[in-house]
Amino acid sequence: MKNKTQTLPLLFFLLFFNHVHSWKKEEFRTCHQTPFCKRARSRTSSTSTPLIATDVTISDGNLIAKLVAKSKQEETQQNTNPLLLSLSVYQNGVVRVTIDEDHSLNPPKSRFHVPDVVVSEFQSTKLWLQRVTQETLDGDDSPSSVVYVSDGFDAVLRHDPFEVFVRDKSNGNTRVVSMNSHGLFDFEQLKVKGEGDDWGESFRSHHDKRPYGPQSISFDVTFHGADFVYGIPEHATSLALKPTKGPGVEESEPYRLFNLDVFEYIHDSPFGLYGSVPFMLSHGKQRGSSGFFWLNAAEMQIDVLGSGWDAENGISKLPKNRVDTLWMSEAGVVDAFFFVGPTPKDVLKQYTSVTGMPAMPQLFSTAYHQCRWNYRDEEDVEHVDSKFDEFDIPYDVLWLDIEHTDGKKYFTWDNVLFPNPEEMQRKIAAKGRHMVTIVDPHIKRDNSFPLHKEATEKGYYVKDSSGNDYDGWCWPGSSSYLDMLSPEIRSWWGDKFSYQNYVGSTPSLYIWNDMNEPSVFNGPEVTMPRDALHIGGVEHREVHNAYGYYFHMATSEGLVKRGDGKDRPFVLSRALFAGTQRYGAIWTGDNTAEWDHLRVSVPMVLTLGLAGVSFSGADVGGFFGNPEPELLVRWYQLGAFYPFFRAHAHHDTKRREPWLFGERNTELIRDAIHVRYALLPYYYTLFREANTTGVPVMRPLWMEFPSEEATFSNDEAFMIGNSLLVQGIYTERAKQTSVYLPGKESWYDFRTGNVYKGEATHKLAVTEESIPVFMRAGTIITRKDRFRRSSTQMTNDPYTLVIALNSSQAAEGELYIDDGSSFNFLQGAYIHRRFIFKDGKLTSLDLAPASNGNARYPVNTVIERIILLGHASGSKNALVEPSNQKVDVELAPFWVQRKNSPAVMTIRKPNVRVTDDWTIKIL
């Protein structure tokens, strides 16, 4: 008979094997197995309790009301108290609505309001309401309350029946976004457990006590004038969200938002993955875009209701120009934000004004990352690093997974495999490169591990439902999980990244947070039990989707502290929530080496960008499985355009560094990576745009062409900024592909310079050399055409401007430069130029605001080549002013580093400084 010490490792092995080798659908709940979802989905407008708004007034700049059952009989039968509604208005077209239980009536406990997501700057944009206007809407007997939102927009609280909507006054008072238009609002109030009450729920072998009873909330949201809705990541599905309920809809599951560790996830599914951002954006030709965000960290299920759906009968024959949705959450409060748009970029700006702008990344982190579970030891690290140099392939970051630690104890090193970690990092850093190590949230329960001992003594772990430190299983075996809801514990955790605490770390080492959903191998649905307890008695069910966000936050802020506030952090996280964009990058998790996973990576990354998380990507090559060389090459060619560009693989896969697939495939992969390095100035400029506006680096076509219906559901192609259109190749041995090029202006093949007509679909021959990439006429991008070992070594290299002229022989673009690592740009230490080509003259203008003293970033780099695509004249010279210098105009290779690159019109060696104002006139 085995003793305990023999049994536990065997149990862990079985859990581990099951975890990494298969995905079993039966281990995860469906809506039918989730009581709150099943109840909400079964309601109709006639079975819901109708509410009316009463006692409407203005208080502290907000519109305040009570929501009560329309009849006393229903109120008595439901045993409910009035709910409190508050409506607030903010600058730039944002309306916030909160609905909660009335604290003066002493509910059993306070419902959870998600903290530290809404940024403090947003609060300062509040418009203090001074008055409310009463207006009787068409068809109503009682008045509604109307408040000003912005020029052209009002917010309306309809009293009977209760409804909230924003309307467009400039367009005949048409509705933009509305809540409870179909009367499906339901709010289950907390209860005190009495004798004989049993509210527990069971799933498989797990039991949830639910000590306060059912506490779910559900309501319908309608996007008026919309053709499609997008957002609510993370799902492996199409960009335009498919209907999940209604006439003719086969898929019966709603989109689930519940952070889960899902390995080998299936594509084209509404199943929830590693992250949850309850933000939805609509778009339509009729009125443009609008958005809706529900700040709630509990499990959420969202139905997109098919055309012809009706709230009462399920089917309606009435035509409509809208998209109806049903939002269902297990717990929390209503804390909802309405965004009026009207353009897609306006909605993104409005949403990120609430949750924060994406962080400005370090320059190195926007380059290529090489990762594997696991690089074995220091010798393996040195070998991989040297091979990149041998094959002339640049890279910037080498990653170490869990095996680098001493027995899965984070902040430690295996002293046999990695005996000299600082020396290893210094060798990598000498080439301008960096390293990343993994630090996960599960802490090994080992009394000899100082981190665990200190966390236990301080009471810093999440508790189980009985009040003891929660003990679950993950990579180390028996593990506990820090309560990251607590700011005190987050600060304590951040201190662990100091060089004194993280022995063996150096300034060139950054961090990877994995498994932070949190993943618990023996937990319900491979996560923490819902009745586990956080600080203040908050149940895990209320905070689950934000746990990884708080862990990411604590790690990122820890790296800032490590560098005395001078060094921008780099932290990759798997779990995400609203606001994640402020703390680092995200990847799409444990994908598979299959063509379908290559294909679905595009809408997944696009959707993350629409939810504010611009710095994201998918594992190039697929985490699981062994890609055939063709698939790997195509993935590099596409992945080189992801905002976050990393190759990663499972430890059971064959090694797949870029040089292991034969000379020709090495050449193709090298070329794909070189394209990314050439475009780093353009990408860095786009990351700065995201940092200041919320507009993502990688964009759906309709974000740049919002009136072209052909783009609305296109998620095979995407834009990088406003200049480049990328079309992936998603099938094996493809010989041709179709590419739709939007807009009335022309497009230029980014490899050859050949011109293609806009607003047309083109059938193109496919070659192994590259995937189709086009540059939009009327734009200018900046490249660096000299290839080094790393981006850091390219800092002082000259620039190439590529000018794609439109039908008016005009174009413009921008370039942003700073030191690539510090926060000095916040004090004005940067260069920001706009390049305008018009009337045969190129002009460089300064966009940076006037700064004090020597705050500007000092740089002496020059522009050495200017490529003109589509220029009409055969000029031989150009005049540079104010230096009054003549320079040559000649035919030269479009890509100087590529063999047989076509010759294009080029201004050679103008050698103008990027910091200066100047003009170049074609003579």
Side-chain angles (χ1 to χ4, degrees), residues 234-256:
E234 188 176 32
H235 305 94
T237 190
S238 58
L239 176 65
L241 295 172
K242 300 172 184 176
T244 57
K245 187 179 180 183
V249 177
E250 295 180 5
E251 178 58 67
S252 62
E253 285 295 303
Y255 292 97
R256 191 182 190 194

Side-chain angles (χ1 to χ4, degrees), residues 90-103:
Y90 297 81
Q91 293 174 11
N92 303 315
V94 181
V95 176
R96 184 179 193 177
V97 174
T98 61
I99 303 174
D100 194 0
E101 297 190 42
D102 187 343
H103 292 183

Side-chain angles (χ1 to χ4, degrees), residues 510-513 552 555-556 559 569-573 583-586:
Y510 293 88
I511 301 299
W512 173 16
N513 288 162
H552 194 188
T555 302
S556 179
L559 290 187
F570 172 74
V571 183
L572 179 74
S573 172
Y583 298 107
I586 291 295

